[in-house]
Amino acid sequence: MTDKKNFKIAVIPGDGIGKEVIQAGIQVLDYLSKESNGNFDFEYDFFPWGCEYYLENGKMMDEDGVERLRDYDAIYFGAVGFPGVPDHVSLWGLRIAICQGLDQWANIRPVEFLPGVPRRLNHPDVDNLNWILVRENSEGEYSGIGGRNFSGRGDGKEVAVQTSLFTELGCERIIRFAFDLARTRKRKKVTSVTKSNAQQYGMVLWDEVFARVSKEYPDVETDQWLVDAMAAQFVLHPEELEVVVASNLFADILSDLGSALAGSLGIAASANLNPERRTPSMFESVHGSAPDIAGQGIANPIGTIGSAALMLDHLGLKEEAKQINLAIEETTRQGILTRDLGGTYNMKEITDAIIGNLSKVKTKA
Ligand code: GGG
């Protein structure tokens, strides 16, 4: 365990079900800190940023928001996006502003097949599947470079340019991260995903960097796929997947596919990491704000609680991180499931069950 005992966490519930699931995650964190008998605790500062904040203040977060987050040990994030604010405004004004502003360049998104969850995937070894997506989180298709021409070409003749940015440094650091991660896994394998037949500049650079870096990891198996074929591989041969590294957009799409195959987007956790630890990392479920079910108390908290486990692991509380994951598994094994997984339980019931299972699984963690 880490020497540090008091962790300062910036909490950004954000929008929609983000506000609900983040409370479930905090309940789990508080339970663990209480049970630690003073070994560690969490001090939370809540930030009201999000779409409501935008409607009142004309901005998704304060101007100095990124700077104010710098001194925290971690950021715990709910979700962003709500009707009334254009999605590109809310996403760029909050999540991307933080990820890019704090150089959280590695986004990891484990795909976990939990026991007791009805799978969408028909695979003989479905119970033993799990893999991890490594998403480049600072550039690629999310470079934000481009523009629209409003110069009066006439109706129906507007032009928009959206440029992807691939730098050798950006490619190298994420590819190296994926190889280092693969070395910690049972099967040491990295799959690189691009579309370099069609994207002949940036993604060819990515491929070249992948080939160069892979030479330094002779103990790690490699393969390379085009993103369309990789989408099919997720369904047809998921047993071949271990660590999958891809650009910002491609890994975002593939992680939704992976978690849907495992049962639901509601169970997918993620971490936006600054691996050098120069800045705080941010932990959030993969799912968005789900306005259609917001405020009803029926959202699945597993993705957000699983993200708390990734946060504890990052903070050095490895046993407690494992304990959370085992408690989640135990809960789904017992058939305690939200509606997205075919169950009838609400968010509070699932959260209480996970907390109830934390002590049960403690000795196994
Ligand atoms: N909790 C994740 C979340 O709110 N995601 C909203 C979203 O649209 N994200 C887009 C992205 O991650 O690229």
Side-chain angles (χ1 to χ4, degrees), residues 28-29 32 305-306 308-309 312 319-329 354 358 361 365:
V28 170
L29 292 171
L32 288 172
I305 295 174
L312 296 193
E319 293 307 309
E320 290 76 8
K322 264 192 239 161
Q323 203 182 336
I324 294 180
N325 287 327
L326 287 171
I328 290 173
E329 279 176 30
I354 291 173
L358 280 169
V361 301

Side-chain angles (χ1 to χ4, degrees), residues 284-349:
E284 56 165 349
S285 54
V286 168
H287 67 72
S289 59
D292 54 328
I293 58 161
Q296 298 177 40
I298 57 170
N300 190 339
I302 289 180
T304 301
I305 295 174
S307 303
L310 291 172
M311 180 164 79
L312 296 193
D313 188 74
H314 183 75
L315 295 174
L317 298 171
K318 307 269 175 198
E319 293 307 309
E320 290 76 8
K322 264 192 239 161
Q323 203 182 336
I324 294 180
N325 287 327
L326 287 171
I328 290 173
E329 279 176 30
E330 187 56 28
T331 304
T332 57
R333 186 179 289 114
Q334 291 164 342
I336 301 175
L337 305 172
T338 37
R339 290 183 199 191
D340 53 320
L341 299 175
T344 55
Y345 290 82
N346 64 29
M347 194 191 78
K348 182 180 179 315
E349 290 165 332

Side-chain angles (χ1 to χ4, degrees), residues 244-306:
V244 179
V245 61
S247 63
N248 218 327
L249 178 64
F250 289 177
D252 186 27
I253 295 168
L254 289 173
S255 64
D256 276 28
L257 174 59
S259 54
L261 291 173
S264 160
L265 246 76
I267 60 175
S270 91
N272 302 285
L273 301 172
N274 175 259
E276 302 96 350
R277 294 175 186 265
R278 280 184 286 105
T279 56
S281 294
M282 181 162 77
F283 302 83
E284 56 165 349
S285 54
V286 168
H287 67 72
S289 59
D292 54 328
I293 58 161
Q296 298 177 40
I298 57 170
N300 190 339
I302 289 180
T304 301
I305 295 174

